[in-house]
Amino acid sequence: MQVLYTGMFLSLWFMSFIILKNNFRNEYSRWVSLLLFIAGFASFSVVVNLYILPDWRVAFPNHPWLLEAIRLFTIVTWGVEFHFFPYLFLMSAFIFASVTSKRVNCYLMAVLAVPILVYLYYIPSFYPVAKFGHPLFTWLAGMYFLSGTFLYGWSYLKEGNALKKKNSLRTNMLMCAVWYVYLSDYCGVDYFYIHQQGLDFSSNDMWKYNYLTVLWFVLFFLYFGLKHGILGIKLRIEKQKLDSSMKALTQGTLIVNHTIKNEVQKIHYLNGKIEKAIRLDQKEEALQGVSNILKVTEHILHMVDRMKDRSGEITVIDQSQRLRELLDICLANTAPFLLDKQIQLHTEYTVDPILLCDPSHVKETLNNLILNAIDAMEPGKGILEVMMTEWKGDLVIGVKDNGTGITKENASKVFDPFFTTKKGSMHYGLGLSYSYSVMQKHGGSLSVTGSELNKGTWMELRFPRKRVLVWGKETEIRQTGQVKGIHPPLS
C-alpha cells in the first residue's frame, strides 16, 4: 500500500507540473495544475503518518521537535486538501466554462472561499490533534462539486466549435472522477484523526481504493492529452510543435517571400488600373494608383528590414497603435480585390482601442486573414465581415467570409508551416503559421472559431487586456440601408 499511495501523490504532482510548464499563460491550466497539486496532499500525508513517522520515532527518539514539526506539516497539507479541493474544482469549472469575466472571477475566488473559511474557524480542531470530517462540510463540499460538474457539463453543451466540443467532452469525462473522491473522502468518512501516535479513521474504507481513481486519471490524461487534447495540454503541444517548426526555417526570407507575394499581387492589379487610366487620360486616377504602389513597396521594404537575418524568428517591437487605423489601411489596400470580385464588405467596431503592439506584424497578420477570406469567396457572391469588440476583457477581431470553408480535418492543420489547401505554386502555406506566431509573440491567440464547407469560415484574433492602453468607444459604424455595419465594397 505504501508504494500505491506514494505513486498517487507523485503522479498527481507530475501531472500538475506538466500542465503548468506547458501552458502556464492559460488561466484554466493554472487552476487545474493547483487542483492536482493539492489533491496529492492527502496521499502524501497518509504515507508520512502511516509509514515514515513511526520508523523515524524509533530512529530519532532524541528529536521530538523535528517529528512534531513533520506531523504538523502533514496536518496542514491534509487540511488544505480536504477543505479546499472542492473549492478548487468549482473555480476551475468557472474558468473552463468562461461564463464570467476575469474581474468577476477575482470576486468569485474570494466569495467562494468565505464559507470554507468560516467553517474552518468554528468547526474542526487542528492541534494538538487534528479532527477532520463533519456532516456540515459533507453538504458544503457536495454543493461545490455539484455546481462545478454542472458548469463543466454546460460548457460542453453550449460549445459550438466541433474540435473544442470534443476536448470539452474528454475533460468532462476526466473530471467526473471527483465524484468517487466525494463518495469516499467526504460521504464515506465520518471523521479521521491525526494524532501523535498515527491516524485513526471512521469510514466505509472506500478511501483505500482512491489509487484506482488516480490511475484512471493518469491513463486518461496521458492517452487523450497526447493524442487528442485535454485540459489545454494538446493545444500547448501543438504550439510547441509550431514554434519549433518556425525556428527550423533556415531563413527569415521565407516569411518575407510570402509578404512579397501578397504585395506583388496588389502591384499587378494596380498596374493594370494605371495603364487603363493613362489610356483614358485620367491623370488623377493614374497618380492615385502610383501612390498606392508606393505604399505597397514601403510595406515590403519595412517587412524585409524587420525580419532577423537568416532566421525564422519573429521579433516584436511594441508601439502604441490605434488599431482602427491598421484595419482601415488593410481594407483600403485590399479594396482593388474586393472591387474586382464584387465582394460586399461589412464592418462593425464597438470599440476604438489603442493597442501596445508591433504595427508592422499586426498589419501583415490582418492582411493575411483578409486576403485568405477574399480568396475563398466566389466573385459576385462574397460577403466579408470584419468586427472588432471587447469580450471578457480581451480585444477580439473577427474576420468572417462565406466562402469554401475548411474541413474538420484541415482545421487543426491550417497553422502548420507549409500546409495549404490552395492550388498553385504561388501559395506557400506560410501566411497563417506566420500570423499564429505573431499573435503568440503578443501573448494573444489566433483560432478558427467556426468553419463549414461551402458556407464560410470565421477567424478570430485575441489580444490580452494588458495590451490595451485605451479602449475607446467607436461612434462611427458604417452602414447602408437598414442593415447595421454594412457598406459597399471600397473603391
Side-chain angles (χ1 to χ4, degrees):
M1 293 299 290
Q2 180 180 357
V3 174
L4 286 176
Y5 287 114
T6 301
M8 283 174 62
F9 71 80
L10 290 179
S11 299
L12 290 169
W13 290 352
F14 175 74
M15 286 190 294
S16 172
F17 171 75
I18 291 297
I19 293 174
L20 192 64
K21 181 179 183 298
N22 285 277
N23 212 358
F24 177 78
R25 292 183 177 181
N26 183 272
E27 185 179 10
Y28 177 68
S29 294
R30 293 197 297 270
W31 278 99
V32 171
S33 176
L34 182 60
L35 174 73
L36 295 177
F37 185 73
I38 296 298
F41 282 176
S43 53
F44 169 79
S45 297
V46 168
V47 169
V48 173
N49 279 283
L50 288 183
Y51 303 107
I52 296 179
L53 278 180
D55 292 339
W56 283 16
R57 289 190 181 98
V58 176
F60 306 104
N62 298 324
H63 297 84
W65 59 271
L66 176 60
L67 300 175
E68 185 63 10
I70 295 173
R71 189 180 74 89
L72 181 59
F73 179 70
T74 63
I75 290 174
V76 172
T77 54
W78 202 341
V80 168
E81 185 276 338
F82 183 79
H83 296 104
F84 286 95
F85 182 78
Y87 163 81
L88 292 171
F89 175 76
L90 180 54
M91 278 304 305
S92 72
F94 268 111
I95 305 302
F96 184 81
S98 298
V99 294
T100 52
S101 66
K102 291 182 179 180
R103 179 176 296 180
V104 174
N105 287 338
C106 291
Y107 293 131
L108 282 172
M109 186 168 58
V111 171
L112 293 176
V114 169
I116 298 174
L117 294 174
V118 171
Y119 168 84
L120 290 175
Y121 183 80
Y122 285 103
I123 304 298
S125 60
F126 293 95
Y127 195 81
V129 176
K131 180 182 179 181
F132 299 149
H134 191 279
L136 179 61
F137 194 77
T138 301
W139 282 98
L140 182 61
M143 287 189 290
Y144 279 59
F145 283 126
L146 186 62
S147 301
T149 303
F150 171 79
L151 287 171
Y152 272 108
W154 183 75
S155 68
Y156 166 75
L157 294 175
K158 75 178 181 67
E159 181 58 64
N161 183 287
L163 294 176
K164 293 181 180 179
K165 196 176 185 71
K166 290 181 180 179
N167 193 303
S168 179
L169 176 61
R170 290 188 288 268
T171 302
N172 271 271
M173 293 172 63
L174 185 61
M175 287 303 182
C176 282
V178 301
W179 282 101
Y180 184 87
V181 176
Y182 176 67
L183 293 174
S184 64
D185 290 11
Y186 295 90
C187 297
V189 175
D190 297 324
Y191 63 83
F192 57 87
Y193 293 110
I194 305 177
H195 49 75
Q196 291 183 336
Q197 285 71 43
L199 300 176
D200 280 335
F201 286 89
S202 174
S203 70
N204 59 8
D205 289 340
M206 284 183 65
W207 65 272
K208 294 181 179 179
Y209 304 100
N210 279 351
Y211 68 88
L212 295 176
T213 303
V214 176
L215 181 62
W216 156 259
F217 205 100
V218 171
L219 295 177
F220 199 99
F221 172 83
L222 290 176
Y223 179 77
F224 286 104
L226 295 176
K227 185 175 181 180
H228 298 293
I230 195 168
L231 301 179
I233 289 299
K234 178 66 175 179
L235 180 61
R236 182 58 185 172
I237 288 174
E238 288 175 349
K239 290 177 183 175
Q240 289 178 331
K241 179 180 70 175
L242 175 62
D243 291 341
S244 176
S245 298
M246 290 300 294
K247 290 177 181 179
L249 298 176
T250 58
Q251 294 183 352
T253 51
L254 288 172
I255 298 298
V256 177
N257 283 345
H258 178 80
T259 301
I260 292 174
K261 183 265 294 184
N262 287 340
E263 302 307 298
V264 166
Q265 288 179 341
K266 296 178 187 176
I267 293 174
H268 178 74
Y269 183 84
L270 290 170
N271 183 64
K273 290 192 69 176
I274 292 171
E275 289 182 355
K276 182 179 178 181
I278 292 174
R279 286 196 304 268
L280 298 175
D281 198 25
Q282 295 175 341
K283 184 177 179 180
E284 291 186 2
E285 288 288 334
L287 290 175
Q288 181 61 46
V290 172
S291 176
N292 288 336
I293 287 179
L294 289 175
K295 291 178 181 178
V296 170
T297 55
E298 286 176 2
H299 179 60
I300 293 174
L301 292 173
H302 191 61
M303 285 299 298
V304 170
D305 183 60
R306 289 299 316 283
M307 300 301 294
K308 284 186 175 180
D309 292 337
R310 305 186 64 80
S311 170
E313 187 71 20
I314 294 171
T315 57
V316 170
I317 300 176
D318 287 333
Q319 301 175 31
S320 60
Q321 173 68 47
R322 184 179 177 223
L323 205 53
R324 170 67 182 272
E325 293 178 355
L326 289 185
L327 277 169
D328 285 346
I329 290 172
C330 290
L331 292 174
N333 288 341
T334 55
F337 302 101
L338 295 171
L339 185 62
D340 186 50
K341 296 186 73 171
Q342 288 300 302
I343 293 173
Q344 293 186 58
L345 175 61
H346 298 199
T347 63
E348 185 169 346
Y349 308 147
T350 62
V351 291
D352 187 12
I354 296 177
L355 191 70
L356 186 65
C357 67
D358 187 308
S360 295
H361 284 306
V362 171
K363 184 168 70 172
E364 184 63 20
T365 295
L366 293 169
N367 191 56
N368 283 333
L369 297 187
I370 293 170
L371 285 177
N372 282 349
I374 293 173
D375 286 343
M377 293 184 284
E378 293 184 31
K381 298 181 180 180
I383 300 176
L384 174 64
E385 300 178 50
V386 180
M387 87 66 181
M388 179 166 57
T389 189
E390 181 270 337
W391 180 252
K392 295 184 178 178
D394 292 336
L395 173 62
V396 177
I397 299 175
V399 177
K400 185 179 181 181
D401 64 68
N402 63 341
T404 55
I406 306 172
T407 65
K408 292 181 180 179
E409 179 183 0
N410 289 335
S412 61
K413 303 177 182 177
V414 293
F415 301 117
D416 292 346
F418 308 112
F419 176 83
T420 179
T421 58
K422 300 177 183 179
K423 297 179 180 180
S425 59
M426 289 298 292
H427 300 294
Y428 307 143
L430 289 173
L432 288 180
S433 63
Y434 159 79
S435 301
Y436 185 98
S437 295
V438 168
M439 293 305 298
Q440 290 296 300
K441 292 289 184 179
H442 284 81
S445 63
L446 169 60
S447 61
V448 181
T449 303
S451 186
E452 191 172 347
L453 280 178
N454 301 318
K455 290 190 177 181
T457 301
W458 177 275
M459 303 292 291
E460 184 179 274
L461 295 172
R462 279 182 179 260
F463 291 94
R465 171 66 183 87
K466 62 183 179 181
R467 283 195 167 269
V468 181
L469 303 178
V470 178
W471 277 107
K473 293 295 181 181
E474 179 57 54
T475 57
E476 176 193 353
I477 296 182
R478 303 173 183 176
Q479 56 186 7
T480 291
Q482 298 178 347
V483 184
K484 183 180 180 182
I486 299 180
H487 64 81
L490 296 172
S491 59

